[in-house]
Amino acid sequence: VPVENIRNFSIIAHVDHGKSTLADRLLEMTGAVAFNSGHQILDKLQVERERGITVKAQTASLDYSYEGDDKVPSGNYLLNLIDTPGHVDFCGEVSRSLLASQGAILLVDANKGVQAQTVANYRLAVSRGLVVVPVINKIDLKNADPDRVVSQLNKIFGLEEDTILRISAKLGSGVEDVLKAVVREIPPPPADVSASFRGLVFDSWFDKYRGAVLLIYIRDGFLRVGDHITSAQSGQNYEVRSLGLLRPSEEPCKMLCAGQVGYMTCNVRNPAEVHIGATFHRKGETVEQLPGVSAATPLVFAGVYPSDQSQYTSLRSALEKLVLNDSAVTMATDSSPALGQGWRLGFLGLLHLEVFGQRLEQEYGAEPVMTAPSVTYKAKLLGAKNIKKYGTDEITFSNPAHFPDVQIVSEFYEPVVTATIITPDEYLGSVMTLCLDRRGQQISSVNIDNDRVMLQFLLPLNEIIVDFHDYIKSTSSGYASFDYESSGYVPTKIVKIDILLNGNKVEELCTVCHFSRAVMVGRHLCTRLRDLVPRQLFQVAVQAVVGSKIVARENIKALRKDVTAKCYGGDITRKMKLLRRQAEGKKKMRMIGNIEVPKHTFISVLKR
Ligand code: GTP
């Protein structure tokens, strides 16, 4: 296919506005998959199917025969589609996908209208110089109001009515026009076929047999199986073992040409060698590197430790392979007196962290201990002696266990974000109350139509990572949406809370919070633990402690748990089976002193 007949584009939208459904229709209409071959073909991961959300961008190459018009000639076109996730926690995926795209289809739900991630994704695409094709979806819904969405798109982004398509991805109506608009409006890739080979790696995953599989966008020249290439980032050399297109399953080929997007394997056994955003070139040549992505800055950090140290190596290998597939996650080694050697991982949000944990378990069978998520704080140190000891006058910490002695700190700083919230008028009051309650400061408020408001708030990151999204949804019956970006640091007063079970510190739960929240957070953690930790054979005291002061306390009453009680008399094999099942359950437990706590409790505890 000549470069002029290639179109590379992403589908971007707010959560649930229908990206994966539209991708399904496009795949069907171009014959890449059979009609009605199933739902959400590109949502391949078990987590995605279970949660019904896309967490991972997926690529598919489609053949499309275009009839031709005044602007573009008829012919066979190669369309590379990337379906992206909609949730703010996975914005790293969107950002990477746009690297290999010249255009984006911006989907907006005809009933819900422009939402916070619609605004964020539109701005991101425009800032990268992409052509945006606006499409209103779900016009089949009874309460669809596409005219209203048109005026919102016009008011917020200045998009003209005649450029906006109206479709139903579910029923397939208008979808053909989307394909036409892709060919007509989106420019072919700015590729130079005759120049030396340059390719950009924008995604990868690990395959047991072939090592890392790299998704590569061929910017210039061509690449053949057997070619010798070099990573400009690491200087390492490789031989290309296989190449192919994703249709959406792998279709091997001998050569990829400028403008194309495809996969490549070159026997990379160590996932740590792969850099997303790296430029590859022919061995022995020097080329200018392609602009990569500035990696999304992780906002939320959590410790990850093997349940017992014998699993350290297998956990490391699982983490490295999964991080290869989720390049927004950062990984550094860490250690803890109670949990041993482990890692501190950085995520874009709590959902990102949860999904990562779930993928570790589902795809790699790893069940590590994960600590309470925390943001990164800063502390200005007092006194020349301390500054000399630390080698700096300002220390940074995300692990609450590294909370410095308050005596040596002149001021603490916490990260803040600028949050964009779009809400119907009727919920404005409760949304504002929620933001103020979370120590927010209002920056602006704009009416985007007769009864919808777009608010901007400066909010401490710490106040939104765990459950802000759930709250904003529940106070607005699901109508308000929310997106955020980091906005630096502000001075703050914070304290460290330790949680004790019968006097033993629960390393996973020690946390840092604003001083005004200490009693509330302490109480919350204690009552949640009281409800979530199964009763033991003895009474357990749950305490929240700041320094030497107990701020909250609860008791978990004693219980005698006899798992075999249910099988009266019965035969011995049944009894053995129950005991075995209990033993299996115990593997999912973490011992704190002599108290058994199911591992999943720790994340559940944090939710308000
Ligand atoms: P994320 O990837 O999680 O952000 O979601 P998404 O944007 O991919 O949305 P998805 O395609 O999963 O669709 C969300 C819901 O909207 C599903 O229940 C779809 O069946 C429904 N949906 C999508 N398109 C249409 C449409 O045109 N009409 C109607 N009535 N429902 C639709």
Side-chain angles (χ1 to χ4, degrees), residues 207-248:
D207 182 286
K208 246 198 315 235
Y209 306 105
R210 300 174 294 171
V213 183
L214 310 181
L215 211 51
I216 186 165
Y217 164 50
I218 315 285
R219 170 57 205 262
D220 296 321
F222 59 89
L223 188 62
R224 282 169 314 200
V225 176
D227 282 354
H228 290 268
I229 55 170
T230 306
S231 157
Q233 249 71 17
S234 64
Q236 214 135 351
N237 298 319
Y238 302 93
E239 181 186 333
V240 180
R241 297 284 177 93
S242 69
L243 292 170
L245 297 177
L246 294 167
R247 285 192 174 273

Side-chain angles (χ1 to χ4, degrees), residues 16 18-21 40 53-54 86 137-138 140-141 168-170:
D16 272 352
K19 292 176 294 292
S20 305
T21 310
Q40 325 255 299
I53 55 167
T54 307
N137 185 28
K138 308 198 189 181
D140 61 294
L141 284 176
S168 164
K170 192 171 176 182

Side-chain angles (χ1 to χ4, degrees), residues 81-293:
L81 164 163
I82 309 180
D83 179 23
T84 67
H87 198 282
V88 56
D89 278 27
F90 306 107
C91 60
E93 290 290 307
V94 183
S95 173
R96 265 190 320 94
S97 307
L98 297 186
L99 275 182
S101 308
Q102 283 73 49
I105 296 178
L106 178 73
L107 271 193
V108 190
D109 183 309
N111 171 22
K112 301 229 172 82
V114 172
Q115 304 274 298
Q117 271 91 54
T118 319
V119 179
N121 284 332
Y122 175 83
R123 293 196 176 140
L124 180 66
V126 170
S127 72
R128 299 274 188 88
L130 266 58
V131 171
V132 174
V133 177
V135 176
I136 298 175
N137 185 28
K138 308 198 189 181
I139 53 165
D140 61 294
L141 284 176
K142 206 166 71 226
N143 39 8
D145 190 352
D147 291 336
R148 171 177 181 173
V149 182
V150 167
S151 67
Q152 290 175 351
L153 288 171
N154 180 268
K155 171 139 193 209
I156 309 174
F157 311 129
L159 295 169
E160 296 300 334
E161 167 148 25
D162 58 346
T163 62
I164 303 171
L165 301 175
R166 301 176 182 214
I167 68 161
S168 164
K170 192 171 176 182
L171 306 180
S173 45
V175 177
E176 183 80 37
D177 294 334
V178 176
L179 282 172
K180 288 184 181 154
V182 165
V183 176
R184 253 182 82 84
E185 309 301 334
I186 297 174
D192 187 345
V193 192
S194 51
S196 302
F197 160 69
R198 278 199 300 172
L200 181 78
V201 177
F202 70 98
D203 198 2
S204 67
W205 58 93
F206 200 82
D207 182 286
K208 246 198 315 235
Y209 306 105
R210 300 174 294 171
V213 183
L214 310 181
L215 211 51
I216 186 165
Y217 164 50
I218 315 285
R219 170 57 205 262
D220 296 321
F222 59 89
L223 188 62
R224 282 169 314 200
V225 176
D227 282 354
H228 290 268
I229 55 170
T230 306
S231 157
Q233 249 71 17
S234 64
Q236 214 135 351
N237 298 319
Y238 302 93
E239 181 186 333
V240 180
R241 297 284 177 93
S242 69
L243 292 170
L245 297 177
L246 294 167
R247 285 192 174 273
S249 42
E250 292 183 8
E251 182 185 284
C253 64
K254 290 267 174 288
M255 182 163 110
L256 287 174
C257 292
Q260 285 189 325
V261 170
Y263 68 87
M264 161 175 92
T265 62
C266 47
N267 202 22
V268 183
R269 289 287 151 192
N270 176 9
E273 276 175 33
V274 180
H275 297 278
I276 300 301
T279 302
F280 272 98
H281 57 83
R282 235 167 258 296
K283 193 176 162 186
E285 291 183 350
T286 43
V287 296
E288 192 187 329
Q289 290 192 25
L290 294 163
V293 251

